[in-house]
Amino acid sequence: MAPFISSLKKSLFLHSSFTKSLLFSQNFHRFYSPKPPPPTPHQEEDDACPTSGLNRPLSEVLKELNKKVPESLVKLRVEDGFSVKYIPWHIVNRIMNLHAPEWSGEVRNITYSANGKSVSVVYRVTLYGTDAEIHRESTGTASVDAEGYGDAVQKAEAMAFRRACARLGLGLHLYHEEL
């Protein structure tokens, strides 16, 4: 059984290294590189591949998610004459994958307004730690007639996803920067 586990660890290590090289740009890694605790001598012998970010207490995961997101990853858009800072959903997804690889997300509800001009999405994000799991839900609403990339459901889902992650601390600083 031991050779099977060893080969599985090696294949997971190769897969994760390849995936990380594809998914994360150099700039992204510079700001979001987890720093694993130093291994004990016994761990060095048993663990041939890194497992940083896997199987950590929930408090450690939340501490990482609550860090300020670098300004280079934050985008700006104008809504109703006001400038709004936000983190694109794909960057939020990458940060979640890096710091909380055991996270999961799901659309809980999609509701169209009575007049059919807008759609609201409820999204749930769940974090899993070695000691507990928590979830947060949020909503996003988009106009069916809004221009830009993607349909109204996609826009509402992305908004709800970002907001649910903010309830876990990710990018929360953007909501109260002016205070």
Side-chain angles (χ1 to χ4, degrees):
M1 186 60 103
F4 172 74
I5 293 173
S6 177
S7 66
L8 180 62
K9 284 183 177 180
K10 286 179 184 173
S11 70
L12 288 173
F13 173 68
L14 291 174
H15 176 71
S16 66
S17 296
F18 177 72
T19 303
K20 282 184 181 179
S21 69
L22 286 176
L23 293 178
F24 300 110
S25 68
Q26 188 120 20
N27 190 31
F28 187 82
H29 265 297
R30 185 175 52 203
F31 294 111
Y32 278 97
S33 296
K35 293 181 176 78
T40 63
H42 183 68
Q43 284 176 322
E44 288 178 342
E45 293 171 7
D46 291 344
D47 297 331
C49 65
T51 57
S52 175
L54 300 175
N55 300 317
R56 294 184 301 162
L58 197 53
S59 62
E60 288 182 22
V61 174
L62 291 170
K63 186 187 293 186
E64 289 295 318
L65 292 179
N66 274 276
K67 289 182 177 178
K68 187 174 181 180
V69 176
E71 202 63 34
S72 63
L73 300 176
V74 176
K75 303 295 181 200
L76 188 66
R77 72 171 169 256
V78 178
E79 286 184 12
D80 300 325
F82 294 99
S83 295
V84 178
K85 288 184 176 182
Y86 72 102
I87 307 167
W89 73 267
H90 59 93
I91 299 294
V92 172
N93 193 80
R94 286 182 176 180
I95 294 169
M96 293 294 287
N97 288 342
L98 184 63
H99 291 298
E102 299 89 2
W103 77 278
S104 67
E106 64 179 305
V107 172
R108 304 282 287 173
N109 192 14
I110 300 174
T111 306
Y112 283 88
S113 63
N115 62 8
K117 292 188 178 186
S118 66
V119 62
S120 294
V121 172
V122 178
Y123 197 91
R124 174 184 280 189
V125 173
T126 304
L127 294 181
Y128 304 94
T130 55
D131 54 346
E133 71 180 58
I134 61 170
H135 64 266
R136 297 291 183 261
E137 290 184 0
S138 194
T139 60
T141 302
S143 172
V144 174
D145 299 329
E147 294 184 20
Y149 184 77
D151 63 29
V153 175
Q154 289 173 320
K155 292 175 186 176
E157 181 182 343
M159 181 186 298
F161 168 62
R162 289 191 308 262
R163 288 177 173 174
C165 290
R167 288 181 176 214
L168 293 164
L170 178 56
L172 191 59
H173 65 281
L174 296 176
Y175 290 87
H176 57 82
E177 271 188 340
E178 289 79 29
L179 298 177

